[in-house]
């Protein structure tokens, strides 16, 4: 017999001064004050350990982890704390993928059913995000994450993907946002031409053949570091996104992914997935392509809002093919 397990987060009463609740997940405790998130745990030797992050950095990372359903592989909030997606369960860890923490034996990793982590992280995000702060927005385009509890921003933190019913722009598609009723052009993309592409469908196929200006579409994106699924062909996902400031997570791959820099420039720090040891700095200028191998972690820095196409392999099998040596870690060998 199947017994449905319902999870609820374990929140405390709000802090008497700061106004935020504290949360427990297994052996981890999460607290926030005016500037910081504090994560507490006990080491294998039962010694108390803790880690502190700037609350803006923490909430931007938490928003991606929740919004992307724990993403592919590792979502490192920084070099210490993060999650690993096993697609039915989630590891929550502190120090496990940091060579120095591991050596000092102060790390902890616990595995949970995905739903248990999800409800806890959603509750933290909703309780700790104040009115006026949108964790998906570029830092210059939103209010401050700091201070005592001041309302909430549920419409921002509950943002879900807008789904297209047909190819974006075809008649009856409601997900269209390149028309005048859509989103305004971002300040950084004021020079991006908005002309639609020329189309010459055979008579009778006007409602079947379509194209849209992807640059125009992206110029109107109101968030950063949040790839959309613009084309899905079997497990090949083309995920363009607009980037400004830094990728709020350090992504550790469990598969290969490709980047195509569509305009402007992003610098990537790439490191070892398991230890955080630095491996490469990759400077990507408009037109450059790069592949992130399945054993790296990476974080991008975009000084000016730029356009990036992330090409993902969404196969549920490929991660096990790589682990068992049937598929390569590096997509190309020179
Ligand atoms: C990535 O981890 O590869 C990634 C995530 C979000 C982005 C861009 C790249 O917006
Ligand atoms: Fe990545």
């Amino acid at each position: 017999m199947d017994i449905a397990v319902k999870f609820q987060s374990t929140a405390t009463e709000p802090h008497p001064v700061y106004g935020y609740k504290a949360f427990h997940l297994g052996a981890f405790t999460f607290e926030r004050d005016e500037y910081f998130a504090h994560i507490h745990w006990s080491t294998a030797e039962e010694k108390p350990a803790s880690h502190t992050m700037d609350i803006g950095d923490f909430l931007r990372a938490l928003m991606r982890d929740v919004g992307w359903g724990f993403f592919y592989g590792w979502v490192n909030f920084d070099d210490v704390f993060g999650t690993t997606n096993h697609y039915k369960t989630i590891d929550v860890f502190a120090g496990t993928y940091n060579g120095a923490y591991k050596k000092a034996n102060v790390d902890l990793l616990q595995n949970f059913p995905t739903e248990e982590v999800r409800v806890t992280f959603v509750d933290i995000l909703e309780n700790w995000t104040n009115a006026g702060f949108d964790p998906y927005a570029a830092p210059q385009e939103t209010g401050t994450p700091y201070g005592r509890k001041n309302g909430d921003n549920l419409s921002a933190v509950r943002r879900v993907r807008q789904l297209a019913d047909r190819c974006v722009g075809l008649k009856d598609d409601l997900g269209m946002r390149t028309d005048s009723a859509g989103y305004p052009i971002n300040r950084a993309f004021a020079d991006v031409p908005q002309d639609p592409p020329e189309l010459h469908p055979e008579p009778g196929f006007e409602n079947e053949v379509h194209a849209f200006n992807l640059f125009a579409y992206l110029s109107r994106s109101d968030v950063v570091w949040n790839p959309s699924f613009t084309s899905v062909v079997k497990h090949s996902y083309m995920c363009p996104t607009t980037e400004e400031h830094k990728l709020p997570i350090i992504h550790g791959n469990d598969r290969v992914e490709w980047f195509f820099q569509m305009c402007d420039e992003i610098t990537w720090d790439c490191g070892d997935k398991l230890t955080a040891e630095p491996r490469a700095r990759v400077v990507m200028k408009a037109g450059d392509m790069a592949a992130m191998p399945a054993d790296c972690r990476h974080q991008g820095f975009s000084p000016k809002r730029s356009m990036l196409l992330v090409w993902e392999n969404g196969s549920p099998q490929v991660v096990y093919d790589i682990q068992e040596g049937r598929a390569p870690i590096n997509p190309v060998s020179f």
Side-chain angles (χ1 to χ4, degrees):
M1 189 176 74
D2 269 353
I3 301 172
V5 184
K6 287 255 186 315
F7 294 102
Q8 272 190 318
S9 77
T10 51
T12 64
E13 289 302 307
H15 187 278
V17 176
Y18 303 125
Y20 301 105
K21 294 178 184 171
F23 296 84
H24 299 285
L25 177 63
F28 293 96
T29 300
F30 300 85
E31 284 169 1
R32 105 152 258 191
D33 57 27
E34 295 191 33
Y35 283 114
F36 300 111
H38 303 278
I39 304 164
H40 300 265
W41 68 96
S42 302
T43 69
E45 292 160 6
E46 311 256 319
K47 290 196 187 134
S50 61
H51 180 59
T52 298
M53 284 184 70
D54 178 284
I55 190 62
D57 290 347
F58 181 83
L59 291 173
R60 283 186 276 264
L62 185 63
M63 181 76 255
R64 276 43 180 206
D65 212 12
V66 166
W68 302 345
F70 303 101
F71 205 27
Y72 299 116
W74 281 252
V75 172
N76 297 283
F77 286 40
D78 63 4
D79 279 343
V80 175
F81 180 77
T83 59
T84 313
N85 195 351
H86 297 294
Y87 305 102
K88 285 199 177 99
T89 66
I90 303 292
D91 290 342
V92 177
F93 58 80
T96 312
Y97 301 101
N98 175 312
Y101 274 67
K102 216 40 215 162
K103 205 165 149 204
N105 215 16
V106 291
D107 56 298
L108 179 70
L109 180 151
Q110 287 192 310
N111 181 263
F112 302 93
T114 298
E115 189 56 12
E116 188 174 356
V117 185
R118 200 189 62 78
V119 296
T120 304
F121 279 16
V122 165
D123 282 355
I124 297 175
L125 184 63
E126 295 191 354
N127 185 253
W128 289 7
T129 302
N130 286 323
F133 177 66
D134 178 354
Y136 266 134
Q140 281 196 66
E141 296 185 339
T142 190
T144 177
Y146 303 122
R148 297 185 183 179
K149 175 100 176 128
N150 165 30
D152 50 37
N153 197 355
L154 298 183
S155 61
V157 299
R158 290 182 181 169
R159 181 188 171 105
V160 289
R161 294 181 186 288
Q162 252 179 291
L163 298 181
D165 301 294
R166 306 187 64 192
C167 172
V168 173
L170 263 181
K171 188 173 171 297
D172 299 330
D173 166 52
L174 302 173
M176 166 80 161
R177 62 180 201 195
T178 54
D179 62 359
S180 53
Y183 293 72
I185 299 168
N186 185 267
R187 76 200 194 289
F189 294 135
D191 58 344
V192 172
Q194 301 291 313
D195 320 66
E198 260 185 53
L199 275 165
H200 304 281
E202 290 290 316
F205 290 89
E206 293 84 353
N207 195 26
E208 306 296 326
V209 177
H210 191 63
F212 65 94
N213 178 344
L214 183 61
F215 286 93
Y217 170 88
L218 286 173
S219 73
R220 296 163 185 271
S221 164
D222 61 341
V223 295
V224 294
W225 306 102
N226 189 31
S228 7
F229 292 76
T230 302
S231 86
V232 176
V233 180
K234 294 188 178 167
H235 295 306
S236 168
Y237 303 158
M238 292 290 180
C239 305
T241 152
T242 53
E243 318 296 48
E244 178 175 329
H245 191 236
K246 61 183 180 188
L247 176 57
I249 62 155
I250 307 168
H251 182 213
N253 290 78
D254 64 4
R255 64 198 69 207
V256 173
E257 62 186 336
W258 290 81
F259 294 155
F260 168 44
Q261 189 68 41
M262 293 173 62
C263 74
D264 300 289
E265 189 172 317
I266 298 179
T267 301
W268 292 90
D269 270 348
C270 302
D272 185 276
K273 181 169 74 175
L274 300 178
T275 66
E277 199 180 317
R279 253 172 92 172
R281 287 269 286 175
V282 181
V283 182
M284 295 191 67
K285 296 180 191 288
D288 285 347
M289 291 205 67
M292 293 290 149
D295 60 353
C296 84
R297 67 175 64 192
H298 51 272
Q299 180 175 34
F301 301 87
S302 188
K304 175 198 166 281
R305 205 184 195 87
S306 70
M307 297 182 183
L308 176 73
L309 185 81
V310 182
W311 184 23
E312 290 284 2
N313 182 340
S315 160
Q317 182 57 37
V318 72
V319 37
Y320 308 106
D321 288 346
I322 291 169
Q323 275 170 23
E324 285 150 34
R326 291 187 297 273
I329 289 169
N330 294 309
V332 193
S333 298
F334 296 103

